[in-house]
Amino acid sequence: MTDDAFTYTVKLKRGDDTQKCKVTAPDVETLTDRVDAVREKMGDWAGDYREIQPDEGPRLADDQSELGEIDA
């Protein structure tokens, strides 16, 4: 266990996935610096997460013009 008096959790969420980072510090000034650094790093990670695409589901026919044209 840490002796730091302050704790802050930074979360990055995409869909059902959540990335968490717990930041601790002995004082508010240090906490602010550490949280800023974590937010910057998680911002970089957010770009990577945006590029991850879910598996493609069933594709619709190229000539489909109405929802009723697909077989369930």
Side-chain angles (χ1 to χ4, degrees), residues 12-41:
L12 174 64
K13 183 169 179 146
R14 182 178 191 267
D16 292 333
D17 296 326
T18 302
Q19 303 292 324
K20 298 178 187 177
C21 185
K22 183 177 178 181
V23 181
T24 61
D27 56 69
V28 174
E29 184 176 326
T30 304
L31 181 69
T32 301
D33 291 343
R34 291 178 181 177
V35 168
D36 289 345
V38 168
R39 283 183 175 160
E40 182 178 339
K41 186 61 179 172

Side-chain angles (χ1 to χ4, degrees), residues 27-63:
D27 56 69
V28 174
E29 184 176 326
T30 304
L31 181 69
T32 301
D33 291 343
R34 291 178 181 177
V35 168
D36 289 345
V38 168
R39 283 183 175 160
E40 182 178 339
K41 186 61 179 172
M42 290 184 89
D44 294 342
W45 293 340
D48 296 339
Y49 295 142
R50 280 188 213 102
E51 293 178 13
I52 299 171
Q53 297 300 318
D55 293 334
E56 291 188 31
R59 298 201 51 120
L60 300 176
D62 289 340
D63 65 346

